[in-house]
Amino acid sequence: MRIQHIDLNKELKNLRPVAACIGYFDGMHIGHQALVKKTVELAEQYGCESALITFDPDPWVTIKGEQDVHHITTMPQRINLAMQSGIRNIYILNFTKEMSRLSPHEFVERVLVPCRIQALVCGFDFHYGFKGQGSGETLKEEGLFDVFIVDAVSDSGEKISSTRISALIEAGEVDEAQRLMGHPFEIEGKVIHGRHIGESLGFPTANIEVDPEYIHPKTGVYACRALIRGKPYMAMVNLGHNPTLNYTPLLSLEAHILDYEGDLYGQRLIIQFVKYIRPETNFKNKNNLIMQLELDRQNVRKVFNALG
């Protein structure tokens, strides 16, 4: 697998012919996977390699100047999911102001043609070029490579989209979000030192540094799966501000990992959100908190037992 950064004013060398799909692919949900599947099929049909073309930074950052933009997945996560789906090349467009101001024709000539595209797959709502004036139909009109437009993938009569999935995660409906993505929403981060409050309560936790790029799920307690060096463990996760004993204004993610003993400091963990358990609560005293944590741990086990 190769990752190629595409700069508007930098000559591309040694690129192989590809069948490619293009988009931002946040969440790499079932709708995106339809594009990827078509791309992999076309690569085999055309006798070339598969590629995914994406943008960095998020086009809204470049076009609208927005800085505090949150995503379901980070770029490394999107790359990993694309690889798992059979994509062999990742082309990351350095999406500058200059690139955003290209006309649709200029975008094709200066960005896409140098990528040696034999076939291009895009969604029905894909737009490109200055003010989004280009579409799948204008790509076809250029006649420089074959273009395949994939229709919307719907669920319950509504299009599956990153916006829809983001709203579910923000509402705590992570199990429904997983159904529409085909994989769990997950946060990856390094285990850092905390104040060891959980350990003093009999519930030692791994405090995980959260990348500010991630969308913020609803605060509260979740049943999660913690991947430690690739091995899954049940985990009881509190996402919030720890109002009872250790209030923090910043979003805190603490994972009590069931049936695990060992030092995790400095390691990177992947926390996969499985089901929302309850909202975060400010308890009157420490004993009430401990009683609730015992109940939460039982509920986490029930969630996983139900999953089989």
Side-chain angles (χ1 to χ4, degrees), residues 179-199:
R179 191 178 69 80
L180 298 184
M181 286 195 289
H183 57 86
F185 167 68
E186 61 184 39
I187 289 177
E188 180 177 355
K190 184 172 71 173
V191 178
I192 57 176
H193 285 276
R195 292 178 58 190
H196 304 282
I197 301 294
E199 189 173 0

Side-chain angles (χ1 to χ4, degrees), residues 17-19 41-49 118:
V18 294
E41 290 172 355
L42 287 170
E44 184 174 351
Q45 180 182 328
Y46 282 65
C48 60
E49 294 192 2
Q118 308 298 298

Side-chain angles (χ1 to χ4, degrees), residues 4-275:
Q4 178 79 45
H5 292 267
I6 310 292
D7 191 294
L8 193 58
N9 298 304
K10 184 178 178 181
E11 183 181 357
L12 297 176
K13 297 180 180 179
N14 303 320
L15 292 189
R16 302 164 185 166
V18 294
C21 52
I22 187 168
Y24 193 67
F25 299 103
D26 187 25
M28 194 57 81
H29 54 64
I30 290 172
H32 295 145
Q33 290 166 33
L35 273 69
V36 169
K37 183 172 184 271
K38 180 66 175 177
T39 302
V40 173
E41 290 172 355
L42 287 170
E44 184 174 351
Q45 180 182 328
Y46 282 65
C48 60
E49 294 192 2
S50 58
L52 180 144
I53 303 171
T54 191
F55 303 82
D56 188 39
D58 185 321
W60 289 126
V61 172
T62 301
I63 296 169
K64 293 194 173 183
E66 297 181 11
Q67 296 302 317
D68 192 24
V69 179
H70 299 291
H71 296 117
I72 303 165
T73 46
T74 61
M75 180 66 78
Q77 287 175 321
R78 292 196 291 278
I79 290 172
N80 286 336
L81 289 165
M83 287 173 55
Q84 291 168 18
S85 299
I87 293 293
R88 292 292 168 258
N89 298 275
I90 305 291
Y91 294 166
I92 302 174
L93 305 184
N94 180 18
F95 197 65
T96 60
K97 282 282 189 184
E98 183 183 6
M99 187 179 287
S100 74
R101 290 170 178 152
L102 295 176
S103 70
H105 176 72
E106 289 172 327
F107 184 86
V108 171
E109 288 284 352
R110 297 183 60 186
V111 178
L112 297 183
V113 168
C115 292
R116 300 191 66 189
I117 295 169
Q118 308 298 298
L120 185 67
V121 180
C122 65
F124 74 102
D125 55 355
F126 174 69
H127 291 278
Y128 67 98
F130 185 58
K131 294 186 177 180
Q133 295 170 345
S135 66
E137 293 303 325
T138 61
L139 283 171
K140 286 185 175 182
E141 290 168 8
E142 292 282 351
L144 296 172
F145 40 73
D146 293 335
V147 176
F148 299 84
I149 301 172
V150 175
D151 290 335
V153 177
S154 298
D155 178 81
S156 302
E158 184 181 352
K159 181 182 78 169
I160 296 175
S161 68
S162 300
T163 300
R164 179 180 176 185
I165 292 166
S166 294
L168 288 169
I169 294 169
E170 290 173 333
E173 297 179 45
V174 291
D175 44 350
E176 178 68 0
Q178 174 173 339
R179 191 178 69 80
L180 298 184
M181 286 195 289
H183 57 86
F185 167 68
E186 61 184 39
I187 289 177
E188 180 177 355
K190 184 172 71 173
V191 178
I192 57 176
H193 285 276
R195 292 178 58 190
H196 304 282
I197 301 294
E199 189 173 0
S200 70
L201 300 174
F203 291 85
T205 60
N207 294 268
I208 297 170
E209 192 173 41
V210 179
D211 189 320
E213 181 182 357
Y214 283 112
I215 189 172
H216 291 172
K218 182 179 180 179
T219 58
V221 176
Y222 290 83
C224 292
R225 189 178 293 106
L227 300 184
I228 303 174
R229 293 180 290 275
K231 183 177 179 180
Y233 292 85
M234 291 181 289
M236 178 175 75
V237 168
N238 186 83
L239 185 76
H241 303 280
N242 305 324
T244 303
L245 296 175
N246 186 27
Y247 177 79
T248 173
L250 299 176
L251 189 70
S252 167
L253 193 161
E254 297 186 22
H256 172 63
I257 302 169
L258 281 61
D259 309 318
Y260 178 85
E261 292 184 8
D263 184 357
L264 293 172
Y265 291 116
Q267 294 190 42
R268 293 190 69 81
L269 300 191
I270 295 174
I271 302 297
Q272 298 178 334
F273 288 71
V274 176
K275 191 170 183 63

